[in-house]
Amino acid sequence: MENIIKNYCKKNVTYTLKYKYFRLSKDYIDSTDFIMYRVSPQINKVVLSSDGSGYFPLDYIKVGKKIFFIDGEITTKPSPKIFTLLKEKDLIDSTMVKVKQGLLDWDVIGKGKGTIMTNDRLKVNTYLVCKTNNKIVSKWRTNKSEVSAKNIEKAIKKGCKN
């Protein structure tokens, strides 16, 4: 993951200057020799549902003042390390929990005007990494998180070169 983060910071200077937080996700693909990673700016807070669960990162890697959150899971019990950091950085949106508890009136806050932010124009960097030598085989920068199957197959055919 360190190679991915170094490459991302080097090749995406505009984003690394503009954003503080990033999401790093890891996807296994059909091939047993490769892993796919995706990196993009993270502008959303962890939005807690009315039962207090949210999609919390599993961990994070700090590089200078930048934080790369490692993709996580839906849970009501994130690790203390993650919860402390998210709380410290004000990255938890508890609006829905407060509405359920009667602490906030939904009509007052305005439906659809919460703190959930999305930006579909942000670029996602996708990396295909060889498991045997941890080298980046191919990388793509797209407006979507998906890379075409054709491009992935083409990259896999290159194989793991030492």
Side-chain angles (χ1 to χ4, degrees):
M1 286 190 204
E2 290 176 14
N3 288 341
I4 300 296
I5 292 171
K6 285 178 189 175
N7 184 281
Y8 184 86
C9 291
K10 183 179 176 183
K11 301 288 183 180
N12 297 280
V13 175
T14 304
Y15 278 5
T16 54
L17 290 173
K18 185 174 181 177
Y19 299 101
K20 295 179 187 179
Y21 310 110
F22 301 86
R23 179 178 178 195
L24 176 62
S25 63
K26 179 177 170 179
D27 293 320
Y28 293 94
I29 54 176
D30 290 339
S31 169
T32 57
D33 296 332
F34 300 94
I35 299 175
M36 193 172 317
Y37 294 92
R38 291 184 178 92
V39 183
S40 62
Q42 179 169 319
I43 58 175
N44 292 341
K45 292 185 177 191
V46 173
V47 179
L48 300 180
S49 63
S50 60
D51 69 355
S53 66
Y55 191 82
F56 287 94
L58 289 177
D59 204 354
Y60 65 90
I61 298 170
K62 193 169 183 179
V63 177
K65 294 182 180 182
K66 307 300 176 184
I67 297 174
F68 289 80
F69 289 107
I70 299 171
D71 215 6
E73 61 188 357
I74 295 174
T75 183
T76 56
K77 296 181 181 183
S79 72
K81 174 184 172 184
I82 287 293
F83 187 78
T84 301
L85 178 74
L86 292 172
K87 188 174 177 185
E88 176 185 298
K89 301 293 184 185
D90 189 29
L91 293 174
I92 300 175
D93 180 346
S94 60
T95 303
M96 298 303 291
V97 174
K98 291 175 183 173
V99 167
K100 183 178 181 186
Q101 294 175 344
L103 300 172
L104 285 175
D105 182 358
W106 185 248
D107 293 331
V108 173
I109 61 171
K111 295 177 184 166
K113 295 181 183 175
T115 57
I116 303 170
M117 302 172 286
T118 59
N119 187 339
D120 294 333
R121 294 181 302 220
L122 291 176
K123 302 274 186 193
V124 176
N125 283 42
T126 303
Y127 298 87
L128 186 67
V129 176
C130 176
K131 283 193 215 176
T132 58
N133 61 18
N134 287 324
K135 291 193 179 184
I136 298 170
V137 175
S138 285
K139 54 189 167 201
W140 302 272
R141 191 162 193 240
T142 62
N143 284 358
K144 307 176 216 168
S145 61
E146 298 298 321
V147 173
S148 74
K150 182 179 178 181
N151 284 341
I152 294 169
E153 287 175 27
K154 190 175 172 182
I156 287 173
K157 285 181 183 177
K158 291 181 188 177
C160 294
K161 296 177 184 172
N162 293 327

Coordinates of all heavy atoms in Angstrom, one line a residue, residues 3 11 24 28-29 31 33 62-64 71 89 96 103-104 112 117 130 136 149 152:
N3 N 3.6 1.8 -1.7 CA 4.0 2.1 -3.1 C 2.8 2.8 -3.8 O 3.0 3.7 -4.5 CB 4.3 0.8 -3.9 CG 5.6 0.3 -3.5 OD1 6.5 0.9 -2.9 ND2 5.9 -1.0 -3.8
K11 N 1.9 11.5 -8.5 CA 1.2 11.7 -9.8 C -0.1 12.6 -9.7 O -0.7 13.0 -10.7 CB 0.8 10.4 -10.4 CG 1.9 9.5 -10.7 CD 2.7 9.9 -11.8 CE 3.9 9.0 -12.1 NZ 4.7 9.4 -13.2
L24 N -8.7 4.5 0.3 CA -7.8 3.5 -0.3 C -8.6 2.1 -0.2 O -8.8 1.7 0.9 CB -6.5 3.4 0.3 CG -5.5 2.3 -0.1 CD1 -5.2 2.4 -1.6 CD2 -4.3 2.3 0.7
Y28 N -9.9 -7.8 -4.7 CA -9.3 -9.0 -5.2 C -10.0 -9.3 -6.6 O -11.2 -9.1 -6.7 CB -9.4 -10.2 -4.3 CG -8.6 -10.0 -3.0 CD1 -9.2 -9.5 -1.9 CD2 -7.3 -10.4 -3.0 CE1 -8.4 -9.3 -0.8 CE2 -6.5 -10.2 -1.9 CZ -7.1 -9.6 -0.8 OH -6.3 -9.4 0.4
I29 N -9.2 -9.7 -7.5 CA -9.8 -10.0 -8.8 C -9.7 -11.5 -9.1 O -9.0 -12.2 -8.3 CB -9.2 -9.2 -10.0 CG1 -7.7 -9.3 -10.0 CG2 -9.6 -7.7 -9.8 CD1 -7.0 -8.6 -11.1
S31 N -7.9 -13.3 -11.0 CA -6.5 -13.8 -11.1 C -6.0 -13.8 -9.6 O -6.1 -12.9 -8.9 CB -5.7 -12.8 -11.9 OG -4.3 -13.2 -11.8
D33 N -2.8 -13.8 -9.0 CA -1.5 -13.1 -9.0 C -1.6 -11.6 -8.8 O -0.5 -11.0 -8.6 CB -0.8 -13.4 -10.4 CG -0.5 -14.8 -10.6 OD1 -0.3 -15.6 -9.6 OD2 -0.4 -15.3 -11.7
K62 N -1.1 7.6 7.6 CA -0.8 9.0 7.6 C 0.5 9.3 6.8 O 1.5 8.7 7.1 CB -0.8 9.5 9.0 CG -0.8 11.0 9.1 CD -1.0 11.5 10.6 CE -1.2 13.0 10.6 NZ -1.4 13.5 11.9
V63 N 0.4 10.2 5.9 CA 1.5 10.6 5.1 C 1.6 12.1 5.2 O 0.8 12.8 4.6 CB 1.4 10.2 3.6 CG1 2.6 10.7 2.8 CG2 1.2 8.7 3.5
G64 N 2.5 12.6 6.0 CA 2.6 14.1 6.3 C 1.3 14.5 7.0 O 0.9 13.9 8.0
D71 N -10.3 1.2 3.2 CA -11.7 0.8 3.1 C -12.1 -0.1 4.2 O -11.4 -1.0 4.7 CB -11.9 0.1 1.8 CG -13.3 0.5 1.2 OD1 -14.0 1.3 1.7 OD2 -13.6 -0.1 0.1
K89 N -11.2 14.8 14.0 CA -11.2 15.5 12.7 C -12.6 15.9 12.3 O -12.8 16.4 11.2 CB -10.6 14.6 11.6 CG -9.2 14.2 11.8 CD -8.2 15.4 11.8 CE -6.8 14.9 12.0 NZ -5.9 16.0 12.1
M96 N -28.7 11.6 11.6 CA -29.8 10.6 11.7 C -30.0 10.1 13.1 O -31.2 9.8 13.5 CB -29.6 9.5 10.7 CG -29.5 10.0 9.2 SD -30.9 10.9 8.7 CE -32.1 9.6 8.6
L103 N -33.5 14.7 19.3 CA -32.6 15.8 19.6 C -32.6 16.8 18.4 O -32.3 18.0 18.6 CB -31.2 15.4 19.8 CG -31.0 14.4 21.0 CD1 -29.6 13.9 21.0 CD2 -31.4 15.1 22.3
L104 N -33.0 16.4 17.2 CA -33.1 17.3 16.1 C -34.5 17.0 15.4 O -34.9 15.9 15.3 CB -32.0 17.0 15.0 CG -30.6 17.5 15.3 CD1 -29.7 17.0 14.2 CD2 -30.6 19.0 15.4
G112 N -32.6 16.3 2.8 CA -31.6 16.4 1.7 C -30.6 17.5 1.9 O -29.8 17.7 1.0
M117 N -21.8 14.8 1.3 CA -21.3 15.5 0.1 C -20.8 14.5 -0.9 O -20.1 13.6 -0.6 CB -20.1 16.5 0.5 CG -20.5 17.5 1.5 SD -19.1 18.4 2.1 CE -18.2 17.1 3.1
C130 N 1.1 -6.6 -8.8 CA 1.5 -8.0 -8.7 C 1.7 -8.4 -7.3 O 2.5 -7.8 -6.6 CB 2.8 -8.2 -9.5 SG 3.4 -9.8 -9.5
I136 N 3.6 -2.2 -9.3 CA 2.5 -1.7 -10.0 C 2.6 -2.2 -11.5 O 3.6 -1.8 -12.1 CB 2.3 -0.2 -9.9 CG1 2.1 0.2 -8.5 CG2 1.2 0.3 -10.8 CD1 2.2 1.7 -8.2
A149 N -13.2 -4.2 -18.1 CA -12.7 -5.6 -18.0 C -11.6 -5.8 -19.1 O -10.6 -6.5 -18.9 CB -13.8 -6.6 -18.2
I152 N -8.3 -4.4 -17.9 CA -7.8 -5.2 -16.8 C -7.1 -6.5 -17.4 O -6.0 -6.9 -17.1 CB -8.8 -5.6 -15.8 CG1 -9.3 -4.3 -15.0 CG2 -8.3 -6.6 -14.8 CD1 -10.5 -4.5 -14.2

